[in-house]
Amino acid sequence: MNTIIKSGILFLSIFLFSNFSAQTKSFKARVEGNCGMCKERIETAAKSDKNVKSADWSMSKKVLTVSYDASKTDKKAVLKNVAEVGHDNEMFRASDKVYDDLDACCQYDRPDNSKKMAKNADTKQVCELK
């Protein structure tokens, strides 16, 4: 009987751990920016979603790496937060007003970045983001 209880507890522990782990996902996305202030702003915006576990933006590669709880948020929500603070990314273009309000050192070149955007990005949503 004692062995059955221990086996049950072990099975339940493994099941709960694997279920918890399955909810954590990560992604990498291109995010425009230039400097250390950009890094802080981008990472803070990504982490403003309480379901984001970690966010790290590489200044040299211009890539944001995010780990998040996939049962409560998604890549689109996180990248929208980043665009709302002035940083174009593969899914959203920041509004011109927010971009213009960035410090001069943070204003990156803003060519038409539609070629950098993900294939599944909604271009109407990108253009209308304010």
Side-chain angles (χ1 to χ4, degrees), residues 27-130:
F27 69 82
K28 291 185 179 195
R30 171 112 180 150
V31 176
E32 299 299 327
N34 290 329
C35 64
M37 289 190 330
C38 294
K39 178 177 177 64
E40 184 176 335
R41 186 181 309 106
I42 291 165
E43 291 173 358
T44 300
K47 291 185 234 179
S48 69
D49 184 326
K50 66 181 181 178
N51 301 301
V52 169
K53 298 181 186 308
S54 66
D56 181 57
W57 182 70
S58 168
M59 203 179 323
S60 61
K61 295 179 182 177
K62 300 192 185 303
V63 172
L64 174 65
T65 304
V66 176
S67 177
Y68 63 101
D69 182 343
S71 69
K72 297 180 180 174
T73 194
D74 60 13
K75 179 179 180 177
K76 188 175 181 178
V78 174
L79 291 179
K80 184 174 182 181
N81 289 343
V82 172
E84 287 175 344
V85 297
H87 295 276
D88 296 350
N89 57 68
E90 64 187 47
M91 294 186 86
F92 296 96
R93 182 175 171 93
S95 73
D96 290 338
K97 173 160 181 14
V98 174
Y99 172 80
D100 291 341
D101 288 343
L102 294 175
D103 290 327
C105 64
C106 297
Q107 292 185 349
Y108 47 89
D109 290 332
R110 270 188 116 186
D112 174 21
N113 65 350
S114 59
K115 292 181 179 108
K116 296 178 190 171
M117 296 170 75
K119 292 178 184 175
N120 60 348
D122 180 352
T123 54
K124 288 183 181 177
Q125 192 168 17
V126 171
C127 296
E128 294 174 0
L129 182 64
K130 296 193 177 10

Side-chain angles (χ1 to χ4, degrees), residues 1-15:
M1 182 71 173
N2 196 14
T3 306
I4 294 172
I5 292 173
K6 286 181 183 177
S7 296
I9 291 173
L10 178 63
F11 176 77
L12 183 61
S13 298
I14 292 171
F15 174 76

